[in-house]
Amino acid sequence: MPTRDQISYFGAGPAPLPTPVIEESAKALVNFEDTGLGLSEISHRSPTANKILADAKSALSILYDFPLEGENAYDVLFMQGGGTGEFSASVQACVGWWVERRRRRAVADLGEGKEDEVIERVRKEIKEELKVDYLVTGSWSLKASQEAARLIGSKYINVATDARKANNGKFGKIPQEKEWQLTDSKKSAMVYWCDNETVDGVEMPSFPESLKGRGEDDGVVVADMSSNFVSRKLNVKDYGIIFGGAQKNLGIAGITVIIVRRSLLALTPKADFLQRLSDVLPSAIPPVVFEFATIAKNNSLYNTLPIFNLYIATLVLQSLVKTFEEKKVSGQEELANRKAELIYDTLDKYADAYHVVPDKSARSRMNICFRIKSRGEGDPGTWDEAREKAFLASAEKKNLMGLKGHRSVGGIRASNYNAVTMPSVQKLVAHLVEFAATG
């Protein structure tokens, strides 16, 4: 049986974790700090749980360099439901904030005590102006847009870009910003994208220029970073909401992290006001466990938070802070880039054997998707599934695991998450070279 250090795991999620984190977490699961209790057995409202929460928030704010207090502060929330749960929570939150802004404006114009008139004005504005924008660049952003349509109605959904239209009906390329059809930022409740599409191997190259400089009255910028979380530097102030499931770069499944601008939470509308608008907004009220303001007010402890899962994420974040020191998340970005470049350079060098699926302009650093070509002459754009099976089988014999592509895409997918080591990447590259010559 292989030992842990002999396995190189490239699975897309759940993903590998740093071995020291696994070892420390194993101790905590059995007997946390010699208390005689495992960490999953303690109360989520205990001082121990609160300290773990505080440590996680502190480490994350250091890595991404954003304030937890004062002007322009952000809240860090830990919830459940994964990234998919946040498809719902984010659109319901942003639409609610949009409605509350309009309500306050109507009250200011019409005066206090005119609730019926305020309701009618907001209802009219919803019908005529409300939109939520989606940049559909892969399978996950498509699902997010579909969930928004299910909740609030397709008439309010604006797909500002659908990458399939620029790539022969398939994902793999991000259209240029000048081609996006964004709603006027004063009318849009939000603009959403998935920063890294795990299924399709597509990553947003950088923060969109067209979304920079948005103010408090503009549509909220929302990014799903489930699969490239803490893997590159970003300016948190450009975003209203950043969210991600934990099971890629942060920890294990069971918690979701949300970074949200605190000033937005004060816009949460009263449920009875939204209820009176249910004829035009059927599902704009989130379940209480998905309401950001409630979770923030209760320090992520409104319901039972899995503290053991959070502890693993805390160890990962603290490890990054310690490892990269003043470089912060930029240090991890440099490492991620080096690993990805090594794999892509090898695939490009042996282009007679391998085809990288996404366009070079949108290649993901986290999920490297490629196909294997037939030997000799063959139709362009056709792949040799028998050779792909042989590639996977020979890889597993070398303890290179988790390389099978997503069922909807096929081929090979090497996920280059933060805990994938450089030696593991080098072993994969050696296999790529050998298979190109002999496979």
Side-chain angles (χ1 to χ4, degrees):
M1 296 292 290
T3 61
R4 181 176 176 83
D5 60 358
Q6 292 173 321
I7 293 291
S8 296
Y9 184 60
F10 297 92
L17 285 164
T19 295
V21 169
I22 289 289
E23 291 171 342
E24 189 66 26
S25 300
K27 296 176 185 177
L29 183 61
V30 177
N31 187 353
F32 181 65
E33 295 184 349
D34 295 323
T35 60
L37 288 173
L39 196 51
S40 62
E41 299 169 301
I42 69 164
S43 169
H44 62 296
R45 303 193 188 281
S46 66
T48 298
N50 276 275
K51 184 179 185 306
I52 293 170
L53 266 165
D55 288 346
K57 293 179 182 181
S58 175
L60 186 54
S61 69
I62 290 170
L63 286 169
Y64 273 148
D65 195 21
F66 65 88
L68 292 171
E69 300 294 340
E71 189 177 1
N72 301 318
Y74 281 74
D75 269 317
V76 178
L77 315 179
F78 293 98
M79 297 165 58
Q80 295 165 66
T84 301
E86 297 312 311
F87 293 169
S88 308
S90 60
V91 70
Q92 289 175 313
C94 290
V95 167
W97 298 336
W98 187 96
V99 168
E100 179 62 11
R101 286 196 189 100
R102 297 307 180 100
R103 186 198 69 80
R104 293 182 185 185
R105 193 179 305 165
V107 170
D109 291 345
L110 300 172
E112 298 286 347
K114 298 183 178 180
E115 187 171 345
D116 289 343
E117 292 179 45
V118 168
I119 283 284
E120 287 309 310
R121 174 166 147 171
V122 174
R123 178 180 284 111
K124 183 174 184 292
E125 291 176 346
I126 290 170
K127 290 180 178 180
E128 295 177 355
E129 298 183 27
L130 175 63
K131 291 292 182 183
V132 288
D133 290 348
Y134 281 83
L135 307 178
V136 176
T137 58
S139 300
W140 290 112
S141 49
L142 176 61
K143 288 183 178 181
S145 68
Q146 292 169 339
E147 173 65 358
R150 188 183 72 87
L151 289 172
I152 65 172
S154 59
K155 61 186 175 182
Y156 299 122
I157 311 305
N158 174 46
V159 176
T161 189
D162 185 337
R164 293 171 295 184
K165 295 179 180 179
N167 197 47
N168 299 317
K170 295 182 179 180
F171 292 121
K173 190 174 183 179
I174 299 176
Q176 296 181 19
E177 287 188 51
K178 64 182 180 181
E179 299 173 13
W180 299 356
Q181 301 295 317
L182 292 165
T183 306
D184 183 326
S185 64
K186 301 299 181 185
K187 297 180 180 179
S188 171
M190 77 173 204
V191 56
Y192 161 98
W193 74 90
C194 180
D195 211 46
N196 184 75
E197 295 277 5
T198 58
V199 172
D200 307 284
V202 170
E203 186 173 24
M204 191 71 74
S206 59
F207 187 88
E209 288 291 329
S210 56
L211 299 180
K212 288 184 176 178
R214 289 203 166 196
E216 290 289 333
D217 293 329
D218 295 312
V220 180
V221 175
V222 179
D224 176 356
M225 295 187 179
S226 291
S227 54
N228 65 353
F229 203 69
V230 290
S231 73
R232 67 179 179 184
K233 182 178 174 60
L234 55 84
N235 184 4
V236 172
K237 293 180 181 179
D238 286 334
Y239 304 82
I241 300 171
I242 297 169
F243 70 79
Q247 66 274 18
K248 314 289 188 178
N249 278 338
L250 190 59
I252 62 174
I255 59 168
T256 312
V257 61
I258 297 93
I259 304 172
V260 56
R261 188 181 302 128
R262 186 173 295 169
S263 60
L264 292 170
L265 300 177
L267 292 170
T268 303
K270 292 182 178 180
D272 58 357
F273 188 82
L274 288 176
Q275 287 165 359
R276 293 190 62 181
L277 296 168
S278 61
D279 58 317
V280 289
L281 281 177
S283 299
I285 304 174
V288 68
V289 293
F290 282 149
E291 187 179 66
F292 293 153
T294 296
I295 302 304
K297 182 179 179 181
N298 289 275
N299 191 30
S300 298
L301 299 173
Y302 181 80
N303 61 323
T304 304
L305 187 70
I307 297 301
F308 178 72
N309 303 50
L310 177 62
Y311 178 69
I312 293 175
T314 303
L315 291 180
V316 169
L317 293 169
Q318 290 177 329
S319 175
L320 291 172
V321 170
K322 183 178 180 181
T323 299
F324 297 111
E325 297 179 331
E326 71 278 357
K327 283 189 174 183
K328 301 178 181 179
V329 77
S330 295
Q332 180 62 58
E333 180 178 23
E334 292 172 5
L335 178 57
N337 291 349
R338 288 200 303 271
K339 293 188 296 174
E341 287 168 5
L342 188 56
I343 297 172
Y344 280 124
D345 286 350
T346 305
L347 293 170
D348 290 338
K349 181 178 179 180
Y350 295 94
D352 58 333
Y354 305 114
H355 169 76
V356 178
V357 175
D359 187 79
K360 197 167 186 177
S361 63
R363 288 178 176 180
S364 168
R365 301 163 307 124
M366 297 287 105
N367 306 101
I368 298 165
C369 298
F370 61 96
R371 303 302 302 259
I372 298 179
K373 300 177 180 180
S374 299
R375 284 197 174 278
E377 294 184 4
D379 294 331
T382 61
W383 321 119
D384 192 329
E385 294 186 6
R387 290 191 75 204
E388 290 175 344
K389 290 180 181 178
F391 177 92
L392 293 170
S394 56
E396 289 189 6
K397 289 178 181 178
K398 298 175 183 177
N399 292 326
L400 299 167
M401 314 297 287
L403 287 166
K404 187 176 181 180
H406 190 273
R407 61 187 179 276
S408 66
V409 175
I412 316 297
R413 175 173 55 175
S415 293
N416 174 41
Y417 296 131
N418 288 354
V420 173
T421 65
M422 181 60 81
S424 288
V425 168
Q426 291 168 337
K427 290 177 184 177
L428 173 60
V429 165
H431 181 60
L432 287 168
V433 173
E434 179 183 335
F435 190 85
T438 63

